[in-house]
Amino acid sequence: MMRWLLCGAVLWVCSVSLAYAGINHASNLDWKTQESTHFRIHFYAGEQALANRSLHIAESVYTRLTPILNWYPKEKTEIVLSDEMDMSNGFALPIPSNRITLFVSRPNSVSSLEDHAGWLETLILHEFVHTLHLDKARGGPKNIRNVFGRILLAFPNVFMPAWMHEGLATYYETDKKLGIGRGQSVYFQMMMRMEVDAGIKPVKQINQLNTLWPLATSRYLYGVYFYQFIADTYGEDTLPKIVETYSDHWLPFAINDLYEDVLGKDMTAIWDEFETYVNAKFQSQITHIKQQGLYEGERLSQTGDFKSSVLQADDGRIFYVSDNLENGAKLKKIYQGKSRTLLELNAGARLDWHEQAGLLMTQPDICDNANRYYDIYRVDADGDSKQLTHCQRYIFAAWSPDGSRIAAVKNYRGQHAIHLLDAKGKLLQVLWQGHDDETLSGLDWSADGKLLVSSVWRKNSGWDVETFDVTNQSWVKITDDILVETDARFVGGSHDIVYAAEHEGVYNIFKHEVSGKVKQLTQVLGGAFAPFINQKGQLLSIDYHAQGFDVYQLGQPLHQAVSFTKTASVFPYPQFPEQDISISKPVPYSAWDSALPTSWLPNLALTNQGVELGAFVFGSDVLNRHNYSLYAGYQSLVSSPVFNLDYIYDGWYPLLKLHAEQMQLPSFDNQNKLVALTENQRLDGELIFPWLKQQSRWTAHLALNHVSQSLSWLAPQYTALNTDFQDTLLGAALVYDTRLTYPRGISSASTGYVLSILAESGKGLGGTYTGNMLMLSGRQFNHLGNEQVLALRLDAGFADNTSRPFSVGGNNSINIIPNLLDPLPASASFNQRQYSLRGYADAALIGQHMLLASAEYRFLITRIEKGWMAPPIGIDSVFGQVFFDAARVGNDLNAAKTYSGIGAELGGDMVLFYSLPARLQLGYAKGLDDVIGGNQVYFRLGSSF
């Protein structure tokens, strides 16, 4: 048993590196590899120039950072260039090797990533800080790595909480003098200013996975300001000392010990000093803004979290996108003071409005099972949407004045273009094609049809508002300064432009008039974005406060004249000099270069079953075509090999999954003396055909499942029992899944349903059971608001007399240790015959047919989101649920008796080791049948379904 628990732990360890496994686009692309002195980069057609540029940047970053952190990785760092997302992101992993994935789409809105020195430059720098930080090991951990390879315990810096990782990388991406990086951005200043105004969060909260605002941004926000505090207070050379000191720590998660060693104070005392630091940094600004007087208007929405793209029709209807972290993204309408949801959306949706043509929307969705690309949709007054383009990557779109055409910003290989489309989304003309150092944010069309307006980032000038002449196809700067300007729109029928800008350290709304005068329209404490001026001259905007963003309406804007300082002709961004480096010629990608194991973990078990000696290995190639985990060992008592293998191949369509195992199962007498060993063998093969979208997923499954048991050892003087058994089945299943889980969900799913039909047959396969089985299953999750969910389950199984019967009873949870290699959220459960019925003993009901139903009301009791540093355990939330179960089992369901049970459960969503979520539940169930029902108190990991 311990071996399999250890196997589960190893799978969790490697799951971090394999989280990107499966359902990728690698099989459809011609991947190439080339190398420089310290890096190996993988890219596909159309990315050759980006690959060369990335290697030059990476080598320059290597030269800059390695002396600072005093670490020089032993092996080359792998880099994957990906254009599979219309979002800006990247990540770095140290296991099974140093790997960086770069998504080449550049930031196209103000969301904290906008202050960069060129997206690739900032991204590579940030991710390589992670590589050096996480890879570094000295002393004992380094010696462990020399023996066992890249096992988790040989990476001490991995055991810091996420804010320490992200804070360090964000600190080194920041250059205050040159105005780049999140650590100096006005956007981050806005967020921390509002944190100070509401009260700085304690370290025991920032240590955890945050579902309260500002969510995952907390680790970057608090992290970078904390490291700035350390540098300003104790000297910048203290930061490498922190990394250096922790790099030879034997004890994971020993953060208090770390700061005691470096600064002579524990983390709690240091955090108190940090709180004083940020309060002093921002409190005077808060006081100054409040003394000037606030002009922010009436708050029309109240939920906080994410809002975007607020617009208003001439009849007064207000449309906006709301992404509430309890129930997801939605298109909302406010009319006559009432708010209504029109349409479920994907996160990141953007809107445009035309009085006759209606709403135009761009939003991301899954394309070809692998990519997340934006497309254009048309939405009518009732909220019905029609998709106009498919996998075309239009990130912004705007109606022409007459509603007959659409101007759209196309994103491809990190470059932007403006396309002219007809009203049905068909390409008419390419108006403009940008280059690597040109980024567009937003798009609006003037009422006379002559101009488009956008915020444009250029290498030599940063972000400015510019207009594009549709006829002459040329750009004209409207602003030309060192500020970040965003969300530009035309005002009514004029060429006046309203936009948001970071003037005097705060994002406010400004209007640039045709005369050249600039007027400030708002004066807010947080920040104001996405301006829209309606027919009455009222200003709608999305304003930031301590709980996130909300819609505001300002009836009488400030209209205070302001002026901005012109920038120099060349913006003072740092240059990453192209060093004279050697780059190899591209060669076809080979998985063998990175798929072999880089670590092993021994297992020695001394039990009354004898001695078992074995080892664990795992791995994946850089493109995640091959993903595997393997335990192989030897059992001395029966001189038998034992093993457990999981493997996924994602180089084809369909996906291939394999599982194979051989193990020895013990039997004991009533004196706990070992009397027999049974050899258990299992082989599962499955082909999965996915058709994936963000809000709905179809998967078809074909599977072979083989299980056999045979007596391998019998103690002397005991009579052999007939334990030989074989169960071989062919199966097919179809699964449709619309379940969605939101950050503040208190259920296994927040909303949606999953339906499946599964058929199995053992005919002609030589097994003990030769019959057929059909299973129909459904799960539905109804969000009731205020973090409440009604969860429903229905399972109906029908097996003939030569099939393995169904067994119902007990209180088992779902997938306590799931297959962490599995890239799909919903899988088909082949050869499953055991089902829970709470309030009854395990296998209380056995029969060839089964009907099982459950209803659970799940509700939040309190959200805590705090924890301890020692031990590193956090409590996210406490919730309760009451349930009703009912089942019929037998050879004739019409004649079978209904057995039912009721009960309640108290649960807690825990966070272990700062980042591992775990659901623990204490339950009481009462079986209502007088004969076989009973009272049960139980403890469970995971959810019931």
Side-chain angles (χ1 to χ4, degrees):
M1 180 65 178
M2 183 59 66
R3 178 180 69 242
W4 307 113
L5 289 176
L6 182 57
C7 185
V10 171
L11 274 176
W12 168 71
V13 168
C14 72
S15 70
V16 176
S17 64
L18 302 177
Y20 194 57
I23 312 302
N24 63 61
H25 216 196
S27 59
N28 298 335
L29 300 168
D30 181 20
W31 285 85
K32 303 290 184 181
T33 300
Q34 63 186 86
E35 302 183 35
S36 62
T37 306
H38 302 105
F39 298 89
R40 181 183 295 113
I41 196 163
H42 311 277
F43 59 96
Y44 45 84
E47 294 186 325
Q48 178 68 70
L50 283 172
N52 288 335
R53 181 177 175 186
S54 297
L55 286 176
H56 278 97
I57 295 169
E59 291 292 349
S60 177
V61 167
Y62 182 97
T63 300
R64 172 184 168 186
L65 290 178
T66 49
I68 295 175
L69 293 176
N70 190 29
W71 187 247
Y72 303 84
K74 185 177 179 181
E75 305 293 340
K76 291 185 178 183
T77 299
E78 310 274 3
I79 298 176
V80 176
L81 281 184
S82 174
D83 195 29
E84 296 176 296
M85 285 176 45
D86 282 334
M87 282 72 76
S88 307
N89 209 338
F91 59 87
L93 300 170
I95 298 174
S97 59
N98 285 328
R99 300 177 178 184
I100 294 174
T101 295
L102 307 174
F103 295 101
V104 301
S105 293
R106 290 167 293 165
N108 56 57
S109 64
V110 172
S111 58
S112 80
L113 298 176
E114 65 283 343
D115 274 357
H116 58 79
W119 174 236
L120 274 178
E121 288 85 346
T122 298
L123 181 61
I124 291 172
L125 189 153
H126 181 100
E127 300 305 336
F128 194 61
V129 172
H130 284 321
T131 294
L132 295 178
H133 183 198
L134 298 177
D135 188 58
K136 185 168 183 174
R138 301 184 303 115
K142 187 176 181 181
N143 294 332
I144 291 176
R145 195 182 301 181
N146 290 336
V147 176
F148 298 109
R150 302 180 72 85
I151 65 171
L152 189 68
L153 289 175
F155 293 83
N157 286 305
V158 167
F159 297 103
M160 291 179 171
W163 67 267
M164 287 186 160
H165 299 144
E166 299 298 350
L168 188 72
T170 307
Y171 176 87
Y172 283 114
E173 87 180 30
T174 300
D175 189 321
K176 292 183 179 181
K177 292 181 179 178
L178 298 177
I180 58 171
R182 281 167 284 188
Q184 59 78 50
S185 75
V186 172
Y187 192 91
F188 257 35
Q189 291 176 34
M190 169 190 78
M191 298 186 79
M192 186 52 78
R193 180 170 63 250
M194 300 313 294
E195 291 294 294
V196 167
D197 192 54
I200 292 297
K201 293 177 174 61
V203 66
K204 60 185 179 181
Q205 183 172 1
I206 300 302
N207 279 343
Q208 309 305 322
L209 297 170
N210 286 284
T211 58
L212 296 176
W213 193 264
L215 307 170
T217 304
S218 299
R219 62 189 61 168
Y220 301 87
L221 180 69
Y222 277 82
V224 70
Y225 277 105
F226 180 84
Y227 281 113
Q228 287 180 359
F229 149 71
I230 292 293
D232 291 346
T233 307
Y234 296 98
E236 190 171 22
D237 61 344
T238 306
L239 304 186
K241 288 180 183 177
I242 292 172
V243 176
E244 187 83 8
T245 301
Y246 208 63
S247 295
D248 68 350
H249 263 232
W250 285 90
L251 185 62
F253 315 111
I255 298 172
N256 271 326
D257 288 350
L258 168 64
Y259 282 92
E260 288 276 8
D261 290 345
V262 177
L263 298 177
K265 305 172 185 177
D266 65 18
M267 192 67 220
T268 302
I270 295 293
W271 198 264
D272 288 341
E273 294 180 7
F274 166 67
E275 185 172 353
T276 301
Y277 170 87
V278 290
N279 281 329
K281 191 177 187 71
F282 288 100
Q283 194 58 59
S284 60
Q285 186 187 29
I286 292 171
T287 302
H288 175 70
I289 294 171
K290 289 181 177 180
Q291 287 177 345
Q292 283 185 313
L294 300 180
Y295 289 83
E296 56 187 13
E298 177 188 3
R299 184 174 168 183
L300 301 184
S301 65
Q302 303 294 326
T303 57
D305 298 329
F306 295 101
K307 305 288 185 301
S308 64
S309 295
V310 62
L311 305 164
Q312 188 168 23
D314 289 348
D315 63 5
R317 289 174 297 165
I318 296 173
F319 302 97
Y320 66 96
V321 175
S322 173
D323 192 352
N324 185 299
L325 300 168
E326 180 186 339
N327 52 31
K330 292 175 173 56
L331 173 61
K332 306 281 285 188
K333 180 181 77 173
I334 299 175
Y335 187 55
Q336 295 180 344
K338 296 181 179 179
S339 178
R340 175 190 166 200
T341 296
L342 292 180
L343 183 66
E344 303 285 335
L345 302 177
N346 298 333
R350 295 150 174 170
L351 304 177
D352 189 60
W353 170 256
H354 188 279
E355 285 295 330
Q356 286 73 47
L359 279 169
L360 195 65
M361 178 178 71
T362 60
Q363 70 170 352
D365 206 338
I366 297 175
C367 170
D368 296 333
N369 290 328
N371 308 304
R372 275 181 55 85
Y373 289 161
Y374 270 81
D375 273 301
I376 301 175
Y377 300 73
R378 190 169 181 173
V379 184
D380 65 21
D382 297 321
D384 294 328
S385 67
K386 179 181 180 181
Q387 188 169 349
L388 301 183
T389 65
H390 298 270
C391 301
Q392 290 302 303
R393 312 190 65 177
Y394 291 122
I395 56 177
F396 299 100
W399 284 118
S400 65
D402 61 2
S404 66
R405 295 173 297 166
I406 299 168
V409 177
K410 171 106 171 174
N411 177 51
Y412 181 75
R413 298 289 192 267
Q415 294 185 349
H416 287 182
I418 299 178
H419 287 191
L420 184 64
L421 317 175
D422 67 15
K424 295 182 179 180
K426 181 181 179 181
L427 177 63
L428 300 175
Q429 182 184 357
V430 176
L431 296 178
W432 172 79
Q433 175 61 58
H435 300 290
D436 286 341
D437 294 325
E438 296 171 315
T439 305
L440 305 187
S441 175
L443 198 65
D444 192 32
W445 209 322
S446 65
D448 59 10
K450 295 181 179 180
L451 300 177
L452 296 169
V453 67
S454 181
S455 298
V456 184
W457 186 92
R458 300 184 190 276
K459 184 72 172 181
N460 292 328
S461 58
W463 290 99
D464 284 302
V465 175
E466 299 188 21
T467 58
F468 180 78
D469 190 304
V470 176
T471 301
N472 297 328
Q473 299 183 6
S474 59
W475 290 97
V476 174
K477 280 182 177 287
I478 301 301
T479 65
D480 188 8
D481 50 55
I482 62 173
L483 305 179
V484 174
E485 286 105 357
T486 187
D487 302 339
R489 296 190 64 89
F490 288 107
V491 178
S494 72
H495 282 186
D496 292 348
I497 298 169
V498 62
Y499 59 93
E502 53 174 17
H503 184 51
E504 294 185 347
V506 180
Y507 275 101
N508 273 296
I509 306 302
F510 298 85
K511 183 171 70 171
H512 186 282
E513 299 177 345
V514 176
S515 64
K517 293 181 179 179
V518 179
K519 295 181 178 179
Q520 183 173 336
L521 304 186
T522 65
Q523 192 160 282
V524 300
L525 183 60
F529 303 89
F532 183 91
I533 295 180
N534 63 20
Q535 278 191 326
K536 299 178 180 179
Q538 298 171 323
L539 173 66
L540 290 164
S541 62
I542 304 293
D543 290 11
Y544 184 84
H545 52 85
Q547 289 75 46
F549 297 89
D550 269 309
V551 178
Y552 283 73
Q553 185 173 51
L554 182 57
Q556 295 182 341
L558 182 60
H559 279 96
Q560 176 177 303
V562 294
S563 61
F564 300 120
T565 303
K566 295 288 184 180
T567 186
S569 58
V570 177
F571 206 74
Y573 280 149
Q575 300 298 313
F576 286 81
E578 293 197 0
Q579 302 179 21
D580 184 16
I581 65 173
S582 174
I583 298 179
S584 68
K585 292 182 179 181
V587 297
Y589 172 79
S590 172
W592 290 108
D593 292 339
S594 55
L596 295 177
T598 60
S599 65
W600 67 284
L601 190 62
N603 175 56
L604 174 63
L606 303 174
T607 69
N608 53 7
Q609 298 171 232
V611 177
E612 184 175 314
L613 180 65
F616 297 90
V617 296
F618 70 92
S620 66
D621 68 302
V622 174
L623 296 185
N624 291 301
R625 288 180 176 176
H626 304 270
N627 301 275
Y628 62 90
S629 68
L630 171 66
Y631 171 80
Y634 181 80
Q635 219 283 338
S636 67
L637 187 60
V638 292
S639 301
S640 171
V642 292
F643 61 87
N644 186 296
L645 169 69
D646 280 293
Y647 172 74
I648 289 180
Y649 180 64
D650 192 16
W652 309 330
Y653 184 87
L655 193 76
L656 172 65
K657 290 174 57 179
L658 294 175
H659 171 79
E661 69 178 52
Q662 178 172 293
M663 56 190 295
Q664 301 291 333
L665 300 177
S667 297
F668 301 93
D669 63 13
N670 55 11
Q671 302 298 318
N672 200 32
K673 180 181 178 181
L674 180 69
V675 298
L677 285 177
T678 302
E679 185 172 271
N680 184 81
Q681 294 180 336
R682 184 181 184 101
L683 176 64
D684 299 315
E686 186 176 352
L687 294 175
I688 304 173
F689 301 80
W691 297 274
L692 307 180
K693 303 295 283 184
Q694 188 159 319
Q695 297 199 25
S696 62
R697 297 158 292 278
W698 284 98
T699 54
H701 307 255
L702 297 175
L704 170 66
N705 180 272
H706 170 81
V707 178
S708 66
Q709 292 181 358
S710 60
L711 183 67
S712 59
W713 178 83
L714 184 69
Q717 300 178 346
Y718 281 86
T719 302
L721 301 175
N722 184 16
T723 59
D724 289 359
F725 167 82
Q726 179 181 328
D727 192 8
T728 305
L729 298 170
L730 285 173
L734 185 65
V735 181
Y736 181 62
D737 186 9
T738 69
R739 293 173 299 172
L740 298 172
T741 301
Y742 301 121
R744 298 193 193 118
I746 51 89
S747 177
S748 54
S750 302
T751 185
Y753 59 89
V754 57
L755 303 173
S756 67
I757 178 170
L758 184 148
E760 295 177 342
S761 177
K763 285 191 175 182
L765 299 177
T768 305
Y769 299 110
T770 60
N772 301 319
M773 189 277 292
L774 178 68
M775 171 64 70
L776 306 174
S777 296
R779 307 284 188 269
Q780 182 166 347
F781 301 88
N782 304 284
H783 185 260
L784 306 178
N786 297 320
E787 300 188 69
Q788 303 173 83
V789 172
L790 176 62
L792 305 173
R793 171 179 66 167
L794 179 64
D795 291 309
F798 308 92
D800 59 28
N801 291 332
T802 57
S803 292
R804 186 156 62 96
F806 294 100
S807 171
V808 178
N811 49 66
N812 293 328
S813 61
I814 57 166
N815 297 327
I816 293 176
I817 302 179
N819 182 1
L820 294 171
L821 300 182
D822 198 334
L824 295 168
S827 297
S829 300
F830 290 101
N831 206 7
Q832 178 177 338
R833 300 292 190 275
Q834 294 181 331
Y835 292 84
S836 66
L837 179 64
R838 289 163 287 192
Y840 297 82
D842 291 344
L845 306 174
I846 296 177
Q848 298 305 118
H849 301 324
M850 177 199 73
L851 185 63
L852 174 64
S854 297
E856 290 190 2
Y857 168 58
R858 304 171 178 179
F859 55 93
L860 179 72
I861 296 175
T862 184
R863 189 167 295 282
I864 299 173
E865 207 170 84
K866 292 181 177 66
W868 299 269
M869 279 181 285
I873 298 174
I875 304 176
D876 176 47
S877 61
V878 177
F879 60 90
Q881 52 194 49
V882 294
F883 63 83
F884 172 79
D885 292 342
R888 285 187 179 186
V889 182
N891 295 331
D892 182 357
L893 290 181
N894 291 326
K897 181 179 178 180
T898 299
Y899 295 87
S900 58
I902 59 174
E905 296 177 346
L906 178 68
D909 279 331
M910 316 292 289
V911 179
L912 310 179
F913 317 129
Y914 306 128
S915 60
L916 179 64
R919 173 162 290 187
L920 312 179
Q921 292 184 250
L922 176 66
Y924 166 77
K926 180 177 178 60
L928 299 181
D929 184 77
D930 294 335
V931 179
I932 64 172
N935 296 309
Q936 292 180 342
V937 176
Y938 54 89
F939 178 76
R940 184 175 64 226
L941 299 174
S943 297
S944 54
F945 62 90

